[in-house]
Amino acid sequence: MFIAVAVFNFIYVLLSSASLPSNTLFDLFVGILKSDQEIMDSVKDNLKAVKERDPACINHVHCFLNFKGFLACQSHRVAHKLWLQGRKVLAVMIQNRVSEIFAVRIHPGAKIGSGIMLDHVTGLVVGETAVIGNIVSILHSVTLGGTGKASGDRHPKIGDGILIGAGTCILGNIKLHKSRKLFSFI
């Protein structure tokens, strides 16, 4: 619990702005953390994932202070919870601020599992109906987007245990599943 609270305290300070004051973000984050144990558990799982899969990660504190992929993913969890609660304008405001600070655009409607590692992550774009499973690693400049020709459920579904390499563009409502070995789309 302490780790998750420390992470979100750090994030709300980074994201605060004139349109999203720190006291508002603090109240928002604390309220969500108190009501959602799954988010708390995901923070721990994501910290472990980064430490295990990224050789540049010195320790867990190094991760949550310096790894913008980790921070963007945790910020998304708050925005996603707000999206599910019907607080869509606020969710998009947080998503826009995350985009400004971390150069990552994850739509608040996208579903992200646990044990996620977003490495380097600049240029990551994840569409509204995208789903990212558990134990997934995604590198920089990846797009999980729509084709622009469909409506409704229009973004990729990434199964558990997938590695998506740098510069990959996956468009449309397609499903990627893990087979006997980890896939890499490069």
Side-chain angles (χ1 to χ4, degrees), residues 1-29:
M1 166 110 174
F2 173 75
I3 291 172
V5 171
V7 167
F8 283 105
N9 276 323
F10 185 65
I11 290 171
Y12 91 77
V13 170
L14 288 175
L15 297 181
S16 64
S17 67
S19 60
L20 286 170
S22 61
N23 59 338
T24 300
L25 287 175
F26 174 80
D27 293 343
L28 194 62
F29 281 40

Side-chain angles (χ1 to χ4, degrees), residues 166-181:
T168 302
C169 187
I170 304 170
L171 301 178
N173 187 8
I174 63 171
K175 296 178 182 172
L176 302 178
H177 297 283
K178 179 182 173 189
S179 71
R180 294 182 184 211
K181 60 183 177 178

